[in-house]
Amino acid sequence: MRKIRSILAGCLGLLLLLTADQASKYWAVQNLKGTSGITVVPGVFRFYYLENHGAAFGMLDQAQGVFIFTAALILLLCLYTFLRLPGKGKYRPLKLLCIVIGAGAAGNMLDRLLFGYVIDFLYFSLIDFPVFNLADCYICVGIALLALLILTYYRNDSFSFLIPGKEKEGREENAEGGRDRYESK
């Protein structure tokens, strides 16, 4: 029952993040398309509509198939990891990051499938950063947090559950109390 609740919560979280991404892009189309944009902080940040047919700075322009395949692969990897993660509190951050990164991949993939491009509208003019959207934020922040967790919190053997047939590793009982060796974290 706990696993089913976890899956339902994950689906709801992904759906909420995906809805926020798509709603923000709809807002951008309705309010920014065909305009010069909206300045929020002069010389620093503005809302600026852009139809991105490539990646950052328009790289790989018109390579929609590559981006759709990559997004689908990321979604499958997030789903596989989410379903294999143990139900312990130690792994909750990873479950959350699977949802966030998956929602980002799904948001941009949906744009590419529906329109043939990604709708971007957030622009930091101060540093001339590429125009981006919420889905991009989900992916970049999610991957940065994932890297930080892997480098600082998890140990090498914390991920043995990802290998089929290795589910029991990392759950070995100790002689003192029969507790999982990760319970104290």
Side-chain angles (χ1 to χ4, degrees):
M1 188 64 165
R2 175 180 264 172
K3 184 82 167 176
I4 292 171
R5 278 190 298 208
S6 174
I7 292 169
L8 290 175
C11 289
L12 179 62
L14 189 134
L15 186 60
L16 288 172
L17 290 172
L18 183 58
T19 300
D21 172 65
Q22 292 299 302
S24 68
K25 291 172 181 174
Y26 178 79
W27 175 85
V29 169
Q30 297 301 309
N31 295 286
L32 301 173
K33 188 173 184 176
T35 73
S36 60
I38 299 171
T39 300
V40 178
V41 179
V44 177
F45 179 76
R46 61 185 299 186
F47 294 118
Y48 177 78
Y49 181 83
L50 177 72
E51 295 174 357
N52 189 349
H53 295 268
F57 296 110
M59 293 184 296
L60 296 173
D61 191 26
Q62 303 298 329
Q64 298 306 317
V66 172
F67 295 121
I68 291 169
F69 175 77
T70 303
L73 195 59
I74 291 169
L75 270 170
L76 288 173
L77 182 61
C78 288
L79 176 64
Y80 175 80
T81 304
F82 184 89
L83 293 174
R84 302 241 349 141
L85 280 166
K88 297 179 176 256
K90 173 183 177 171
Y91 294 101
R92 283 190 191 121
L94 288 179
K95 284 192 172 211
L96 180 61
L97 291 176
C98 284
I99 294 165
V100 171
I101 295 167
N108 283 342
M109 183 173 72
L110 188 58
D111 278 10
R112 291 184 193 283
L113 290 170
L114 293 175
F115 312 118
Y117 54 84
V118 173
I119 297 168
D120 289 331
F121 61 95
L122 302 169
Y123 178 56
F124 281 100
S125 55
L126 178 68
I127 57 174
D128 195 28
F129 196 78
V131 184
F132 59 99
N133 58 49
L134 284 183
D136 297 333
C137 293
Y138 299 160
I139 294 168
C140 292
V141 172
I143 290 175
L145 290 174
L146 177 63
L148 185 64
L149 281 173
I150 289 171
L151 292 172
T152 62
Y153 183 64
Y154 296 106
R155 300 188 325 216
N156 288 343
D157 58 352
S158 295
F159 300 102
S160 61
F161 64 87
L162 289 172
I163 302 167
K166 300 280 187 178
E167 296 88 13
K168 301 296 181 201
E169 287 185 25
R171 296 189 179 110
E172 297 166 3
E173 293 182 1
N174 64 31
E176 291 85 63
R179 294 171 52 139
D180 185 324
R181 65 179 159 169
Y182 295 122
E183 268 186 59
S184 61
K185 270 202 168 193

